[in-house]
Amino acid sequence: MTEEASVGRVEEVKSKALDELGSIESLEQLEEWRIAYMGRRGQLTQILRGVGSLSPDERRSIGAAANKAKATLEESLTQREQALKDAVVADLSESGAIDVTLPGWPAPLGGLHPTTRIVREICEAFTFMGFQVVEGPEVEWDHYNFEMLNIPKDHPARDMWNTLWVDYTDENGETPMLLRTHTSPMQARIMENQSPPVRVIVPGKCYRYEATDATHEWHFYQVEGLAVDRGITFADLKGTLFEFARRIFGQERKVRFRCDYFPFVEPGVDMSIDCFACSGKGCRICSDTGWIEIMGAGMVHPKVLEAAGYDHNIYTGFAFGMGPERIAMLKYGIDDIRLFYSNDLRFLKQF
Ligand code: DAH
């Protein structure tokens, strides 16, 4: 039932409410008061609900008065609530129970995972040199993970990647889907979709069918890089990676390139930096060699350019790939890769 409404009735309810509010002593009482006037069946709510069925004239005057009364009551409620809360704090502080002048407890913020940190640092070093950051799918086709990278079916080079195949058989009875074993498939995907010049950096998760130990995980990150344009040479590769190494491991770093084999580059190399811990004298970190391998790289193989639709007589490029966990292990002296993904807060909190 709605009440008989009039402007007078609105005023009456309002002043009664304000009167009562003055003598409220606790937050519980304040809540009861709110319910009594502005709750679902509250006195003012009832009046507001009845406004719709009044004559247009009455509706205008009574409606306006009721809305105004509601605003007044809401404002008074907020003020009273603050006053009551302040009084509680003042009481506690007077009795010595709390010292309100002490700074509060800081809310724990958490931190970035060490892999996230290092991936960002790596990407930053390359974006500074004009590379764009691109990401790709973790579930990949054999076509991109291998074939487009000059690794045909049944080629022995496939042994370099221990692959996790997805349980999916296509109409030819083949199982062409896998968890990508490296971020290199993005080389082909990018070149298929974009004409040169290309300068990209691809961070992302990779997976391998691997027995885990201190230096092997079955999932890990890689950061891939690709630059293709007219006239790119091995000197560009060296200059770019040298600059990267100095940004991450210190301005005085030296780099070393040695021949290595990856089917998608020719020539292929592995890049090392001189050991930042012993400056090349030989120590535990560099296994007494003075050098630390940090990535694979090379000039993009003509077959890879061709497969993606680039004319290898016009364009050349370089590519590289590195494991950010390995970079972080070297940089922060972490001796077991499994620490990254075992969710041990004692490890994670150190970063
Ligand atoms: N994808 C390679 C791996 O997983 C790493 C790599 C080597 C990437 C040489 C490259 C490269 O782009 O040129 O072992």
Side-chain angles (χ1 to χ4, degrees):
M1 269 299 286
T2 54
E3 292 200 31
E4 180 85 38
S6 69
V7 174
R9 174 70 187 140
V10 171
E11 290 306 319
E12 192 185 312
V13 169
K14 184 174 91 177
S15 51
K16 190 159 141 269
L18 291 175
D19 260 6
E20 282 176 26
L21 189 64
S23 54
I24 278 176
E25 300 286 347
S26 71
L27 290 168
E28 290 77 24
Q29 283 176 352
L30 188 64
E31 178 59 6
E32 281 167 21
W33 177 88
R34 188 193 63 78
I35 293 168
Y37 289 97
M38 294 185 290
R40 244 172 0 110
R41 290 164 199 274
Q43 296 182 37
L44 192 60
T45 313
Q46 302 267 25
I47 296 176
L48 278 162
R49 208 172 280 154
V51 165
S53 52
L54 298 172
S55 71
D57 268 357
E58 280 179 324
R59 199 184 302 157
R60 205 168 303 122
S61 58
I62 298 173
N67 277 324
K68 221 164 129 208
K70 187 166 181 224
T72 309
L73 292 194
E74 275 170 354
E75 202 189 317
S76 311
L77 169 77
T78 314
Q79 282 171 3
R80 189 79 197 134
E81 189 178 358
Q82 193 54 50
L84 287 169
K85 284 183 179 165
D86 288 349
V88 170
V89 173
D91 263 6
L92 285 172
S93 124
E94 241 161 61
S95 66
I98 56 163
D99 179 351
V100 290
T101 63
L102 282 175
W105 292 104
L109 271 183
L112 291 177
H113 190 277
T115 307
T116 308
R117 274 177 193 275
I118 199 81
V119 166
R120 288 192 186 175
E121 229 178 288
I122 294 168
C123 290
E124 216 168 90
F126 285 103
T127 48
F128 185 81
M129 292 186 265
F131 283 72
Q132 264 182 318
V133 180
V134 181
E135 288 179 311
E138 288 170 31
V139 180
E140 190 47 286
W141 299 108
D142 180 307
H143 178 72
Y144 287 105
N145 196 80
F146 291 125
E147 298 206 11
M148 292 288 277
L149 293 168
N150 193 29
I151 313 166
K153 285 216 165 44
D154 303 322
H155 192 281
R158 289 204 177 201
D159 293 349
M160 291 167 74
W161 293 274
N162 308 316
T163 313
L164 289 160
W165 296 94
V166 175
D167 197 2
Y168 159 76
T169 311
D170 67 12
E171 60 277 13
N172 306 319
E174 294 182 353
T175 46
M177 207 190 266
L178 48 84
L179 299 186
R180 67 175 174 192
T181 56
H182 48 182
T183 41
S184 309
M186 278 305 284
Q187 291 188 23
R189 284 184 177 272
I190 288 159
M191 288 192 278
E192 270 184 351
N193 282 301
Q194 175 185 335
S195 26
V198 170
R199 257 193 254 123
V200 289
I201 188 93
V202 188
K205 237 183 219 182
C206 306
Y207 304 82
R208 290 196 194 169
Y209 181 64
E210 196 95 71
T212 59
D213 64 24
T215 52
H216 295 88
E217 256 292 11
W218 65 273
H219 87 296
F220 51 89
Y221 278 72
Q222 274 193 353
V223 178
E224 187 82 11
L226 175 71
V228 185
D229 201 354
R230 287 169 192 264
I232 289 198
T233 70
F234 199 87
D236 297 308
L237 180 160
K238 281 179 100 171
T240 307
L241 297 185
F242 183 35
E243 179 58 26
F244 160 76
R246 296 190 342 151
R247 277 183 178 270
I248 299 287
F249 291 105
Q251 284 301 312
E252 64 289 348
R253 281 295 58 77
K254 296 191 194 97
V255 294
R256 178 185 75 176
F257 293 90
R258 290 192 306 183
C259 288
D260 200 349
Y261 170 69
F262 301 97
F264 31 91
V265 280
E266 181 57 39
V269 294
D270 73 54
M271 177 175 121
S272 305
I273 52 174
D274 64 326
C275 181
F276 51 87
C278 64
S279 299
K281 284 195 239 9
C283 68
R284 198 180 61 88
I285 292 182
C286 58
S287 316
D288 285 321
T289 63
W291 293 96
I292 303 170
E293 282 176 30
I294 61 167
M295 68 173 104
M299 299 305 290
V300 182
H301 198 291
K303 281 194 178 165
V304 174
L305 293 171
E306 219 53 35
Y310 281 17
D311 185 342
H312 75 268
N313 294 307
I314 303 179
Y315 298 106
T316 50
F318 65 82
F320 55 88
M322 71 188 95
E325 289 93 346
R326 176 161 164 76
I327 306 268
M329 286 168 81
L330 291 168
K331 201 170 162 164
Y332 303 126
I334 300 163
D335 59 9
D336 194 324
I337 195 172
R338 291 168 294 191
L339 287 166
F340 284 88
Y341 306 112
S342 51
N343 288 335
D344 187 334
L345 286 178
R346 289 169 303 179
F347 170 73
L348 296 172
K349 277 184 173 169
Q350 296 176 47
F351 297 93

